[in-house]
Amino acid sequence: MRAIPLTVTAVAAALLLTACNGGGGSGSGSKNGSACRIGGVSLEVGAASVAPAAGDTGEVPVSITNHSKTCTLENFPGVVLRKDGTSAKLAAQKGAKAQTLKLAKGDAAAFTITYVRGKDGDAGSLAATELKITLPGDDTAQSFPWRYGPIAGQGASTKPNASVSAFQQAGD
């Protein structure tokens, strides 16, 4: 008779520990109430350091300012480059480590898109026209025009030679 109460107690304890996890370990961000949302923040694509010629590296800064209650940025931003029906999701920069940032109302953060410029008209380059950004834990995307030239492909135009940095605290 004692086996059943001990088993029930063990299962209940395991469930309690699982519930305390918070779910922040996934690569795409957790779906929690504290995640920063596109509707509660403003995104701005800043003045870029444009790659002038094929093979050169360029950087495009993106800033995020919170206009609502305190929210959290964890993991990496979602960035997709698109042209017509072709889209490519950018990977995190090699060696970059995600950090969790809490943004109070008025606080800002930033990340950088780094890319290698491709040759104009090259089938292996992605001549992107649109940049779509999502925040971890939010599926809503905000679109911006891509005005920085074609992105060199890594074997194919759907694998652009571009990446995103981790979020960094911005401002004071």
Side-chain angles (χ1 to χ4, degrees):
M1 287 302 245
R2 286 196 172 258
I4 293 173
L6 288 175
T7 303
V8 171
T9 303
V11 169
L15 288 172
L16 283 172
L17 288 173
T18 303
C20 292
N21 184 3
S26 73
S28 62
S30 61
K31 285 277 193 186
N32 64 47
S34 68
C36 293
R37 309 263 184 230
I38 293 288
V41 301
S42 61
L43 295 174
E44 183 179 328
V45 177
S49 171
V50 178
D56 291 341
T57 300
E59 293 185 334
V60 180
V62 179
S63 61
I64 302 151
T65 304
N66 185 16
H67 297 291
S68 62
K69 64 182 179 178
T70 299
C71 65
T72 304
L73 292 170
E74 58 183 321
N75 297 317
F76 289 87
V79 176
V80 174
L81 294 171
R82 296 178 37 93
K83 178 182 179 9
D84 301 328
T86 303
S87 63
K89 183 172 171 49
L90 303 188
Q93 287 178 349
K94 287 184 181 180
K97 293 186 189 228
Q99 60 179 329
T100 299
L101 297 179
K102 284 196 180 253
L103 298 181
K105 186 174 183 176
D107 285 351
F111 67 92
T112 303
I113 300 165
T114 303
Y115 72 100
V116 175
R117 184 163 182 148
K119 293 180 183 176
D120 288 322
D122 181 21
S125 295
L126 176 61
T129 57
E130 181 183 28
L131 166 67
K132 292 185 101 169
I133 299 171
T134 57
L135 300 177
D138 185 13
D139 294 332
T140 305
Q142 187 168 346
S143 297
F144 299 90
W146 180 264
R147 299 182 176 128
Y148 315 109
I151 300 97
Q154 298 181 76
S157 63
T158 56
K159 294 187 78 174
N161 190 349
S163 60
V164 296
S165 72
F167 292 109
Q168 300 291 322
Q169 198 77 41
D172 302 316

